[in-house]
Amino acid sequence: MSAQAPRGVEPQDGGRPGRRIMGLETEFGILAPGLPELSPTQLSAAVVTAMVEVAQELGSRGAGAPWDYVHERPLQDARGFEQERATADPSQLTNEGAVLDARQIALEDGDAWAALKSEQDVLMNLVLGNGARFYVDHAHPEYSSPETSNAWDAMTWDLAGDRLASRAAELAGQRLGTEVLLHKNNTDGKGQSYGAHENYLVPRALPFDSLVDGLTPFFVTRQVICGAGRVGLGRRGERPGFQLSQRGDFFENRVGLETTIRRPLINTRDEPHADDARFRRLHVIIGDANLFPASTLIRAGSTSLVLRLIEDGLAPRITLADPVGDLQRVSHDPGLGATLVADGGRRLTALDIQELYLGAAERHYGDPEDAEREALRLWRRCVDLLRAGDPAAGHWVEWRGKLSLMERYRERGLAWDDPKLALVDLQWADLRPGKGLANALLQRGQAAGMVGEGEVEAALTTPPSDTRAWTRGRTLTRFPEAVVAANWDSLSLSLDCLPQLVRVGLPDPWQGTQALTQGLFEPGARVQELIKSLRGL
C-alpha cells in the first residue's frame, strides 16, 4: 500500500473509488425511573461498566482497556489558533478524562449504587473488541464507532452500537434492581440537547474556508433527507408543532469550536487522530441520531459525496443570507415549501439545494463500483419521493415516517401540544427490544431495514477489516493482557520482557488492516511479532 493517498483520503490500493475514513458517535439519553436519586453520570457509568460483561459474553475479552488521552487536543482550532484553556467551557476539555464527581459518590448511603460499586470497579471508559469506544461523556453513555471506509459500514457499526448499548443497559438494570432506559434521541425536552456526531477524514491541504463555504448550505438543508423528526418547536418544545430535526433549534453560530454551547453549523475542532501533516478530521455536530438505517446511510453517504465535490472543486456555489435562521426555518417546515434567500436574491427551497448537490454528485461519481453508490441512489430516491409528496418517503426518511405515525395519533384527537404526543416521541427512540416505535416499524417491514441481521451481529465483535480499527479491535481480543491503554491512533502495550510500556503508533487510518496484518492474530502468534510489524508500517 502506498504511504500517500490521493487528496489525503483514499489509498492507492486498487480498491473501490470513493472510500473515506469516517465514523459516527451517539450520546444516548438515559434514565432509571425506579432510582431517581442516581445522577445521569452514575447511571451512565453503570452502563459502561456492564458493557465489560456484555463484550465478554460475546467473546470480546479485551473490553476493559482504558482510553489514552495523550494525543487529544480539543482546543486546537482549524482556523489556525488554539483557545486558551482558561477561557474554555469545561465541556470542551475532553482530554482530561471523565471522573465521577465527589458529590455524586456521596449519594451512596447503602443504595443500589453502593451495591454496584462493591461488586466491581466502576468504569467510565472502554475500548471494545469491534474497535469502538464506549464511555461516559457529559453525563451520557456514548458509543463512538470504529473507523470505517464507507457509509454502508458506518451504518452497520452504528447499528451494532445501538445493540451493544441496549444490552449493557439491560444488564446494568439487573444489577441496580430497576430498569435502565436508553433513548437514541437528541433532546430531553427540557432545553438540553446531546449529540450524534460524525467524523470524516479530509486532506490537510484543503483550505478550511472551502469546507465552510461548500458545507454550510448542504448542512442547513440536509435535514430534509435524514432528520429524525421531533414533536414541539423551540428548545423546550414550548410551541406546538412538528419539525424535521431533533437538533435544529440548538444552533446559534455559523462557525465555531464549541459543541455543547454556542453550537455552530460548522465545527472547527482540529483534532485529527491521525498524521496531522496529511489529514484533518471534520467533526460534524449538526446531525440527528437516526434509528432508520436508511437515514444513517444517506446522512453519512451524502456528506462523503459532498466532501468529494468540495475537494475536486465541483461543489455548487450557494451563499445563504441567513444560514442559522434558515436551519430553523427548514426544520419547522414539514411541508418543505419554505424558501431560503441565497446569493443574488435567488430563492431556493431545501429540496432545491439538495438537488443541486445531488445532481453534481450524480454527474461526477456515478461509477457503479463506487463505495457510495448505494448512498447516491438512496439520496436520489428520497429527494424524488419528498418532492412528489409520496407517502412512500416515510419508508426511507425517518422524520417522514415519524410524522406519519404522529398524524395517526392526531386523528384520535390529540393536539401537537398534548403531552401524550411528547411521550410517543420519546417512545420512538426507546432502545429496549419490543418497546421502541421506530424499531417496531423496522420489524414490521414498514421502514427499510437495509442491513442483514448477520452483518450487524458480526459487527458487535468484529472490527472493520479495511482500516486500522482492525488492529485495535483484534489486539484487544487476542492479546488483552498486554493492552494497557488504547486510543484512535496508538496502542500502549506492556510485556514482561520489557522494562517499560511500548506505545505503537497508527497515524495512518488506512494501515493496520486485515490484509496488512495477516497471521499476526492467529493462534500461536505472539504480541512481540505484532509490535515489530506495526512499527514497520
Side-chain angles (χ1 to χ4, degrees):
M1 183 179 293
S2 170
Q4 295 295 321
R7 300 186 302 279
V9 296
E10 188 180 331
Q12 298 174 354
D13 62 352
R16 292 183 297 165
R19 298 200 304 155
R20 177 185 305 277
I21 295 294
M22 64 179 72
L24 306 179
E25 309 169 23
T26 302
E27 296 177 24
F28 298 100
I30 187 168
L31 69 150
L35 286 174
E37 71 273 16
L38 292 189
S39 71
T41 302
Q42 288 176 311
L43 290 173
S44 299
V47 173
V48 171
T49 301
M51 183 66 82
V52 174
E53 185 173 327
V54 170
Q56 289 172 343
E57 290 175 352
L58 292 168
S60 183
R61 295 185 300 135
W67 194 252
D68 183 355
Y69 292 90
V70 65
H71 295 144
E72 300 205 3
R73 53 186 201 194
L75 301 182
Q76 188 70 32
D77 196 295
R79 292 168 291 186
F81 59 87
E82 184 170 6
Q83 181 179 357
E84 294 184 8
R85 182 167 291 264
T87 67
D89 186 87
S91 65
Q92 294 177 257
L93 306 179
T94 58
N95 59 337
E96 293 186 349
V99 294
L100 284 175
D101 187 276
R103 291 169 296 177
Q104 296 165 333
I105 296 291
L107 291 173
E108 293 174 14
D109 296 333
D111 61 9
W113 177 250
L116 177 66
K117 283 193 65 186
S118 68
E119 291 181 8
Q120 63 185 112
D121 292 335
V122 174
L123 301 175
M124 302 289 283
N125 220 316
L126 303 173
V127 185
L128 305 181
N130 71 348
R133 181 186 183 193
F134 191 62
Y135 69 112
V136 180
D137 185 34
H138 305 311
H140 298 271
E142 176 173 321
Y143 173 85
S144 295
S145 78
E147 305 94 325
T148 60
S149 69
N150 59 85
W152 187 275
D153 285 353
M155 169 186 63
T156 302
W157 267 268
D158 181 69
L159 288 168
D162 295 350
R163 195 165 298 186
L164 287 166
S166 178
R167 292 184 184 182
E170 182 180 7
L171 181 56
Q174 292 171 5
R175 292 175 173 176
L176 291 169
T178 189
E179 205 165 30
V180 176
L181 282 62
L182 293 186
H183 293 94
K184 192 178 185 184
N185 61 2
N186 297 110
T187 178
D188 61 2
K190 301 175 183 178
Q192 301 300 316
S193 180
Y194 31 96
H197 298 171
E198 306 150 50
N199 303 283
Y200 304 90
L201 211 65
V202 297
R204 174 66 61 173
L206 181 68
F208 192 77
D209 285 347
S210 297
L211 289 171
V212 173
D213 293 341
L215 287 171
T216 297
F218 174 69
F219 281 162
V220 166
T221 59
R222 186 183 66 163
Q223 56 190 307
V224 301
I225 56 171
C226 57
R230 179 186 168 204
V231 173
L233 308 179
R235 293 192 174 190
R236 293 176 174 83
E238 61 270 19
R239 302 193 306 279
F242 181 90
Q243 59 177 306
L244 278 59
S245 174
Q246 289 263 314
R247 295 272 276 173
D249 288 335
F250 293 91
F251 285 81
E252 303 175 47
N253 295 303
R254 185 184 179 210
V255 181
L257 182 62
E258 295 85 0
T259 60
T260 61
I261 58 172
R262 298 183 293 275
R263 292 182 181 90
L265 306 180
I266 309 293
N267 185 251
T268 60
R269 180 184 293 183
D270 190 4
E271 195 176 43
H273 301 317
D275 180 355
D276 61 6
R278 296 173 55 200
F279 302 115
R280 186 195 308 280
R281 176 178 63 107
L282 177 68
H283 186 55
V284 178
I285 69 171
I286 199 170
D288 287 358
N290 292 118
L291 287 137
F292 277 20
S295 289
T296 302
L297 176 65
I298 197 172
R299 175 162 55 107
S302 64
T303 304
S304 181
L305 286 161
V306 169
L307 287 172
R308 286 170 70 184
L309 289 170
I310 295 170
E311 291 160 358
D312 293 337
L314 301 170
R317 297 186 181 278
I318 305 166
T319 302
L320 295 176
D322 180 22
V324 176
D326 286 342
L327 182 71
Q328 279 88 45
R329 204 165 287 117
V330 172
S331 186
H332 294 182
D333 177 40
L336 304 182
T339 56
L340 315 182
V341 179
D343 45 298
R346 281 194 296 172
R347 292 186 174 274
L348 301 167
T349 67
L351 278 176
D352 291 339
I353 291 173
Q354 283 295 303
E355 185 108 48
L356 289 170
Y357 281 99
L358 170 59
E362 287 174 327
R363 287 192 297 274
H364 299 289
Y365 310 128
D367 185 341
E369 298 302 315
D370 196 285
E372 302 302 359
R373 179 62 175 164
E374 187 61 32
L376 186 61
R377 289 173 177 167
L378 181 60
W379 192 1
R380 167 55 67 189
R381 176 183 293 158
C382 292
V383 167
D384 287 349
L385 289 172
L386 288 168
R387 192 176 287 283
D390 193 327
H395 190 73
W396 309 95
V397 180
E398 185 168 344
W399 73 262
R400 195 66 190 80
K402 180 186 281 188
L403 178 58
S404 296
L405 179 67
M406 295 298 172
E407 291 290 5
R408 292 199 290 273
Y409 279 94
R410 279 171 44 78
E411 289 171 1
R412 303 174 188 176
L414 298 182
W416 279 122
D417 56 356
D418 193 307
K420 292 179 182 177
L421 275 188
L423 290 176
V424 173
D425 195 359
L426 185 63
Q427 191 177 352
W428 177 273
D430 196 328
L431 284 189
R432 290 176 296 173
K435 300 292 186 180
L437 297 178
N439 283 326
L441 294 182
L442 290 163
Q443 292 297 319
R444 293 199 296 263
Q446 294 176 303
M450 305 299 292
V451 187
E453 178 66 18
E455 288 183 73
V456 179
E457 281 294 316
L460 299 178
T461 58
T462 306
S465 64
D466 58 353
T467 73
R468 66 184 175 194
W470 176 261
T471 287
R472 182 187 313 113
R474 295 302 297 155
T475 301
L476 285 160
T477 299
R478 180 67 182 82
F479 304 113
E481 68 286 345
V483 181
V484 176
N487 58 28
W488 299 118
D489 53 2
S490 69
L491 291 167
S492 294
L493 305 172
S494 175
L495 302 176
D496 293 339
C497 59
L498 296 177
Q500 58 187 14
L501 295 180
V502 177
R503 178 178 279 120
V504 181
L506 289 166
D508 187 342
W510 295 110
Q511 301 285 6
T513 64
Q514 182 179 20
L516 294 175
T517 59
Q518 288 286 352
L520 295 176
F521 301 108
E522 299 297 326
R526 299 189 308 154
V527 69
Q528 290 90 335
E529 296 165 350
L530 174 66
I531 293 173
K532 182 179 178 181
S533 176
L534 294 180
R535 283 179 164 174
L537 289 178

